């Protein structure tokens, strides 16, 4: 870029004004990164509206088209939500379409709405030390403090999902079994609203397994019943791992569904 170009002049003015500006192309990706920084810092909180495209274009000294392209990508990533005639809002795990984003187990008949919310039984919530596998998944050191949660999700009074979760202890200080049991929304919404941790993406590994004795007992299935083992690492902003979750899914009345695009 020529140093005498309007973009160079506007970028210099923005820097002198204390407003961060993109440093290299593609420009819309840089704007996306700057908006992500504001989301991560909490400048715009979940369910709140962000500034208009015009305001953001003025803030970053770029065109509205560049801002629109950045916002489109963030909406595709489920981090922002466009609402016709109202503006653009920070996505929240309290919204239905976001609640179900990480839940891929569907009933064989009907849908999640007709099935109703899961009944949740918190079996355990305790502080422990990360072994090598857990530490590796959560980018911790072996022996670092973690919170370990075990819960059973039932649909129609039938135990369907057994989950073991490990969370880094520091960001979730104060999380207890009672707090989990008293919260009636999605777990990720609790993490978001009470601990300021927003899960933005996840990686999963799926395999078929046979349950051990404890899993058989909690899911009320025989030891010969195959289960889906779903291991998930969930990340917050900047690809920081914040949860390791190992779920065991009974598929007697459900199936795992993932829409590919």
């Amino acid at each position: 870029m020529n140093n005498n170009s309007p973009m160079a002049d506007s970028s210099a003015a923005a820097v002198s004004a204390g407003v961060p500006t993109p440093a290299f192309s593609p420009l819309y990706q840089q704007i996306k990164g700057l908006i992500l920084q504001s989301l991560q810092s909490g400048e715009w909180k979940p369910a709140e509206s962000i500034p208009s495209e015009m305001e953001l274009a003025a803030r970053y000294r770029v065109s509205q088209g560049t801002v629109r392209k950045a916002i489109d990508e963030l909406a595709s990533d489920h981090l922002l939500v466009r609402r016709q005639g109202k503006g653009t809002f920070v996505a929240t795990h309290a919204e239905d379409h976001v609640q179900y984003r990480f839940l891929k187990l569907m009933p064989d008949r009907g849908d999640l709405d007709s099935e109703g919310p899961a009944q949740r039984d918190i079996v355990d919530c305790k502080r422990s030390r990360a072994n090598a596998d857990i530490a590796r998944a959560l980018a911790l050191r072996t022996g670092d403090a973690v919170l370990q949660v075990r819960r059973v999700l039932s649909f129609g009074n039938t135990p369907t999902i057994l989950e073991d979760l490990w969370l880094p202890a520091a960001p979730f200080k104060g999380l207890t079994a009672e707090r989990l049991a008293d919260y009636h929304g999605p777990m990720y919404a609790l993490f978001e609203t009470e601990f300021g941790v927003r899960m933005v993406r996840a990686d999963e590994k799926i395999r078929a397994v046979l349950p051990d004795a404890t899993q058989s007992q909690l899911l009320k299935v025989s030891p010969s019943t195959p289960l889906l083992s779903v291991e998930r690492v969930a990340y917050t902003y900047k690809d920081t791992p914040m949860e390791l979750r190992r779920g065991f899914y009974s598929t007697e009345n459900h199936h795992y569904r993932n829409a590919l695009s």
Side-chain angles (χ1 to χ4, degrees), residues 16-69:
S16 65
V19 178
T21 57
F24 57 90
S25 296
L27 194 55
Y28 80 92
Q29 286 283 358
Q30 295 302 306
I31 299 304
K32 179 182 177 181
L34 295 174
I35 295 173
L36 272 172
Q37 287 179 19
S38 292
L39 292 172
Q40 182 183 16
S41 69
E43 179 179 351
W44 310 312
K45 294 180 171 51
E48 290 183 352
S49 63
I50 69 169
S52 68
E53 290 178 1
M54 183 179 297
E55 291 170 320
L56 289 173
R59 173 175 177 164
Y60 298 124
R61 308 294 197 271
V62 296
S63 70
Q64 282 185 246
T66 298
V67 170
R68 185 174 302 115
K69 191 169 183 180

Side-chain angles (χ1 to χ4, degrees), residues 12-259:
V15 170
S16 65
V19 178
T21 57
F24 57 90
S25 296
L27 194 55
Y28 80 92
Q29 286 283 358
Q30 295 302 306
I31 299 304
K32 179 182 177 181
L34 295 174
I35 295 173
L36 272 172
Q37 287 179 19
S38 292
L39 292 172
Q40 182 183 16
S41 69
E43 179 179 351
W44 310 312
K45 294 180 171 51
E48 290 183 352
S49 63
I50 69 169
S52 68
E53 290 178 1
M54 183 179 297
E55 291 170 320
L56 289 173
R59 173 175 177 164
Y60 298 124
R61 308 294 197 271
V62 296
S63 70
Q64 282 185 246
T66 298
V67 170
R68 185 174 302 115
K69 191 169 183 180
I71 290 176
D72 284 344
E73 284 214 351
L74 290 166
S76 295
D77 293 340
H78 305 282
L79 299 180
L80 296 176
V81 178
R82 290 188 182 275
R83 293 180 183 156
Q84 188 67 33
K86 295 183 179 180
T88 302
F89 295 76
V90 182
T92 169
H93 285 286
E95 296 183 58
D96 286 346
H97 75 283
V98 180
Q99 285 181 30
Y100 298 144
R101 181 179 163 211
F102 294 98
L103 179 60
K104 303 297 185 182
L105 199 68
M106 302 293 174
D108 291 337
R109 295 182 178 85
D111 54 25
L112 287 170
D113 290 330
S114 62
E115 187 174 53
Q119 300 91 52
R120 290 165 291 184
D121 177 25
I122 306 300
V123 179
D124 200 5
C125 180
K126 63 184 179 182
R127 191 180 177 95
S128 62
R129 297 289 176 181
N131 63 24
D133 288 341
I134 294 168
R136 189 180 306 110
L138 294 176
L140 302 173
R141 294 172 299 182
T142 300
D144 279 355
V146 292
L147 285 175
Q148 184 175 349
V149 178
R150 169 167 281 187
R151 69 174 186 169
V152 175
L153 303 181
S154 300
F155 295 93
N157 297 317
T158 300
T160 305
I161 304 173
L162 168 63
E163 292 183 322
D164 288 306
L165 294 76
W166 291 267
L167 308 164
F172 294 96
K173 184 178 180 180
L175 182 64
T176 62
E178 291 76 20
R179 202 164 179 181
L180 286 167
D182 289 344
Y183 190 84
H184 299 295
M187 184 176 283
Y188 283 174
L190 171 68
F191 293 168
E192 177 184 275
T193 57
E194 298 196 24
F195 296 94
V197 176
R198 173 165 171 74
M199 304 302 186
V200 299
R201 74 172 189 88
D203 291 331
E204 288 188 339
K205 294 187 294 187
I206 304 173
R207 57 170 56 93
V209 300
L210 292 176
D212 62 24
T214 300
Q215 294 160 359
S216 296
Q217 180 182 10
L218 290 172
L219 286 174
K220 299 181 180 177
V221 297
S222 74
S224 61
T225 301
L227 303 175
L228 274 185
S229 168
V230 181
E231 180 172 301
R232 175 196 303 167
V233 178
Y235 300 83
T236 187
Y237 298 107
K238 292 188 176 178
D239 277 344
T240 302
M242 295 299 284
E243 177 201 62
L244 170 62
R245 183 181 300 215
R246 290 173 180 158
F248 298 91
Y249 293 24
S250 170
T251 58
E252 183 178 357
N253 299 305
H254 293 76
H255 60 275
Y256 192 93
R257 181 179 183 272
N258 196 12

